[in-house]
């Protein structure tokens, strides 16, 4: 036996009221633009066969090599808690042969992701992502739609101190030549073993290395944007044209590479200036090889993942008030058993009528009950004492002014509904 209290695992946290309202507001605001643009909601399991992620996220990534929560189930299958949401959506897209229907297939989801990371501000082992994908069509206008929807979500929250970083990573026709040039360049640098190994699997990832001693050597590195084929360049130009048409501004980021190995062409990230080291609030891009890597048809896709927790930190950093008034509209304070039955009925009817209402539970006494009424956020309360009941009334009380009027019991529901529902 131990008398130590149990705590949430390292790198995880609980979201409790009233802060949880802000969490919900971020989640809702980031997903609303997707619904308006015809994206359909999907749920997939929080765990998948490990291969979904080792193939779908990429063997060279930190996520796959160091951060996955992988375990054998009792049937001896290797399963992994999802470290991100794209691979699972793609697995579902392939399994259910969604590519045989109308294209593009537009999907979104939101939920938990798990990575065994070194916890710090904005970096957790359990976090929440909003994820969207537009699959089956390679059209620069679709890339622009996706990016613009991401921007919209942040704007709708009122965020202003964020920046859209944008680049193109080319495709299977121009990337191999560029890759050779980059490998030749990297070979001449002073890099540690780990980085060399990573460079062998995906040399582009070295460009994104945050360590100053690595960055210092990359000033003259060849950049993908300077080696795009005519087709890739035309694609990227078109994306930028559409983005301009949509009123989106961005910063060119030729060294941007992202966690997934399969990104091609349009690639982007959203960074916020108020967050310190973990500044990325979301990111995404086009991935032409992902479906095939997961054993699916050769279709392209584009999508993004936004970090709900980090976006909430950004909202706090900008001091934004994003929560609509919380609490209930009406509160009922009964004194005595008979009044309590009336209160329970009244609260039930109000809720059925779409009005948020609450009452006290347990024996609180008048003082405790009035305190609960004040804390509830309600503008009005009904207080039903024994003497009131004997007279067939309840007291309708304006909790802000303290003004009180006697209302016949049979009129209480309507009066309360009409007063707080205005
Ligand atoms: P990624 O799937 O790595 O591209 O991440 C997409 C977004 O999810 C990032 O921009 C972050 O906002 C968020 N995110 C990724 N990893 C974490 C983490 N460990 N803790 C909190 N948020 C994260």
């Amino acid at each position: 036996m131990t008398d130590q209290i149990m705590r949430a695992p390292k790198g995880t946290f609980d979201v409790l009221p009233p802060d949880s309202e802000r969490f919900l507001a971020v989640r809702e605001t980031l997903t609303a633009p997707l619904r308006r643009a015809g994206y359909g909601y999907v749920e997939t399991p929080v765990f998948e066969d490990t291969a979904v992620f080792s193939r779908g996220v990429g063997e060279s990534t930190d996520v796959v090599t160091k951060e996955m929560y992988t375990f054998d189930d009792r049937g001896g299958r290797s399963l992994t808690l999802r470290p991100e949401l794209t691979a699972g959506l793609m697995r579902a897209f392939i399994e259910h042969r969604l590519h045989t229907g109308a294209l593009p297939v537009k999907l979104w989801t939101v939920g938990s992701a798990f990575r065994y990371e070194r916890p710090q501000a904005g970096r957790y082992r359990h976090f929440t992502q909003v994820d969207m994908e537009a699959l089956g069509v390679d059209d620069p206008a679709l890339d622009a739609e996706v990016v613009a929807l991401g921007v919209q979500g942040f704007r709708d929250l009122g965020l202003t101190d964020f920046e859209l970083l944008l680049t193109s990573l080319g495709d299977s026709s121009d990337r191999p030549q560029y890759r050779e040039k980059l490998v030749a360049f990297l070979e001449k640098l002073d890099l540690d073993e780990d980085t060399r190994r990573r460079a062998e699997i995906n040399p582009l990832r070295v460009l994104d290395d945050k360590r100053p001693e690595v960055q210092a050597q990359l000033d003259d590195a060849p950049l993908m944007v300077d080696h795009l084929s005519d087709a890739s360049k035309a694609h990227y130009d078109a994306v930028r044209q559409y983005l301009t048409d949509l009123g989106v501004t961005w910063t060119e980021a030729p060294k941007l590479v992202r966690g997934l190995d399969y990104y091609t062409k349009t690639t982007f990230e959203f960074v916020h200036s108020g967050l310190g080291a973990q500044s990325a609030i979301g990111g995404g891009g086009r991935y032409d090889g992902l479906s095939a890597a997961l054993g699916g048809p050769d279709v392209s896709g584009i999508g993004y993942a936004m970090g709900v927790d980090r976006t909430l930190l950004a909202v706090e950093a900008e001091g934004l008030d994003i929560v609509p008034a919380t609490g209930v509209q009406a509160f009922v304070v009964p004194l005595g058993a008979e009044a309590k039955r009336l209160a329970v009925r009244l609260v039930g009817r109000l809720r059925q009528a779409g009005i948020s209402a609450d009452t006290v539970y347990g024996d609180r006494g008048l003082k405790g009950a009035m305190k609960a009424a004040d804390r509830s956020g309600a503008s009005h309360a009904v207080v039903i004492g024994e003497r009131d009941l004997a007279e067939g009334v309840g007291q309708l009380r304006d909790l802000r002014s303290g003004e009180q009027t006697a209302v016949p019991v049979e009129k209480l529901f309507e009066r309360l509904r009409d007063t707080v529902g205005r």
Side-chain angles (χ1 to χ4, degrees), residues 102-155:
L103 301 177
V105 177
K106 296 174 164 192
L107 308 172
W108 71 273
T109 188
V110 56
S112 296
F114 309 85
R115 292 182 196 175
Y116 190 78
E117 302 209 68
R118 200 165 50 79
Q120 53 184 282
R123 190 196 270 185
Y124 314 108
R125 292 183 175 176
H126 168 248
F127 55 99
T128 300
Q129 284 187 337
V130 167
D131 189 271
M132 66 90 93
E133 321 290 337
L135 306 168
V137 173
D138 183 0
D139 177 344
L142 192 57
D143 299 42
E145 167 177 298
V146 167
V147 173
L149 287 170
V151 172
Q152 191 63 48
F154 294 134
R155 278 193 194 153

Side-chain angles (χ1 to χ4, degrees), residues 26-41:
V26 169
R27 208 177 67 177
E28 295 309 307
T29 311
L30 292 184
T31 54
L34 304 178
R35 297 172 150 194
R36 289 199 296 267
Y39 287 71
Y41 179 66

